[in-house]
Amino acid sequence: MNTPLCSHEEEIIQAVIQNSLSMSLEQHLQSCVHCRSSVAITKNIQTVRATALNNTPAIPHPQIIWLKAQYMQKQKLARVDLLISAGAIFASLLIVFLVSAFLLPTQSSFSLLELLHSFKASRAFSAPAIIFVSAIILVLLLGHTSSKNMLFRRI
Amino acid sequence: MLSRARFDELYTTSYRQLRLYVSKLTNGSDNVDDITQEAYTRLLVSAPTGLSDAQLKSYLFATATNIVRDLWRRGTVIGEWLPLDESIETKDSEWEALPLQLDIEKVLTGMSIMQRSLVWLAYAEGYAHKEIAEILNVKEQSVKVLLSRARQKFIELYRALESSSKEGR
């Protein structure tokens, strides 16, 4: 693929924009058709740019964008918080289920209905088991609350 | 997130440039201000920490380009994104047109959105090929090829406009 770009082009464009063409670049321009064209394009576009920048309407106050970004950031963090909450609830339920299943008498075949039925019948909800499960849920909820506070403190 | 003082400074120094870039990309659509402001909002919400001022400015141009691309996909921004223009011969042609003879806006309008972006970033904002590659999310070598074609297209459109204006006299 033919790409006749001169290796000096970038340097020359920068120099034209900053109005600081050195002698060596001036000499290069004498012999390089490509760079002369680039200078012409740059000068044309720079003229258009300068005119357009002067005609730009008044800039809106940055406070509007700042407040919008704050709101979006809070929404983003709220979504993260929702995910953490859902995860904590799921983990709590899973632990309750597993602990209960562990404390129940061994079943020959697993059935959720039988398991729930045996919940009522058995003495799985003995005091130590309830204390153990409650402690786990408490730890999870405390962990969740502290992570929530930590996230919102970052705003 | 950026500090308020740093954001205000960046906003004040770059808003006009970014708005003009968006205006060129979208051919001055009604969404120019919305796109520009959305780019700043995304910068505040999503920009990685520790970027220099120049990197933040590049991030803004990249974000604005992505927003325009999304709107173009939805049909809100009209125009072609990137015709390959493989038929364009990338030859070295002498072009030393006199400034202000013709309406450059018309020349830019005849180009694809990507070509306008390349030409504006290179010749108006003075970004190096490597920086343009980062802004447009393409390889540096691709920028050289694409810019070479966009440049050639610019010259051809300019010449066509020049000859039509001469015939009109």
Side-chain angles (χ1 to χ4, degrees), chain B residues 48-65:
Chain B
T49 52
L51 296 182
S52 67
D53 288 351
Q55 286 171 322
L56 284 171
K57 203 177 149 198
S58 296
Y59 188 93
L60 277 172
F61 277 86
T63 307
T65 310

Side-chain angles (χ1 to χ4, degrees), chain B residues 17 21 27-28 48 70 72 74 78 82 89 92 113 117 120 135 152-153 159:
Chain B
Q17 292 167 36
Y21 171 69
N27 266 336
D70 290 343
W72 170 79
R74 282 185 234 154
I78 310 295
L82 178 66
E89 199 182 337
D92 251 351
I113 299 170
S117 172
W120 197 261
I135 290 171
Q152 194 62 33
K153 179 97 180 245
R159 279 181 177 154

Side-chain angles (χ1 to χ4, degrees), chain A residues 1-6 9-10 13-14 17 32-54 56-70 72-73 76 154-155, chain B residues 1-4 7-8 11-12 15-17 19-20 24 37-38 40-41 44-46 90-100 104-105 119-120 122-130 141 144-145 148-149 151 154-155 158:
Chain A
M1 197 178 283
N2 183 23
T3 55
L5 287 178
C6 175
E9 194 199 15
E10 284 178 85
I13 292 170
Q14 292 284 339
I17 290 172
C32 183
V33 174
H34 181 91
C35 285
R36 275 206 300 277
S37 296
S38 294
V39 168
I41 295 171
T42 307
K43 282 182 176 171
N44 271 275
I45 291 181
Q46 284 295 317
T47 310
V48 171
R49 182 179 183 266
T51 311
L53 284 177
N54 286 333
T56 308
I59 302 176
H61 199 279
Q63 175 81 4
I64 299 163
I65 292 167
W66 181 263
L67 290 174
K68 189 182 170 193
Q70 293 273 322
M72 283 176 71
Q73 183 85 338
K76 192 177 167 183
R154 280 165 46 196
I155 297 177
Chain B
M1 202 159 162
L2 283 179
S3 71
R4 179 64 202 268
F7 171 71
D8 281 4
Y11 180 86
T12 314
Y15 187 88
R16 284 191 165 88
Q17 292 167 36
R19 189 188 182 280
L20 186 56
K24 295 300 163 203
Q37 289 171 28
E38 178 64 21
Y40 282 99
T41 311
L44 282 170
V45 175
S46 312
T90 51
K91 62 191 177 203
D92 251 351
S93 52
E94 184 91 29
W95 187 76
E96 294 177 68
L98 293 171
L100 294 176
I104 294 292
E105 300 283 349
V119 165
W120 197 261
Y123 301 113
E125 296 301 331
Y127 276 113
H129 296 162
K130 194 182 171 189
Q141 192 54 38
K144 290 182 195 296
V145 176
S148 176
R149 285 189 187 139
R151 181 182 184 281
F154 183 92
I155 294 170
Y158 191 97

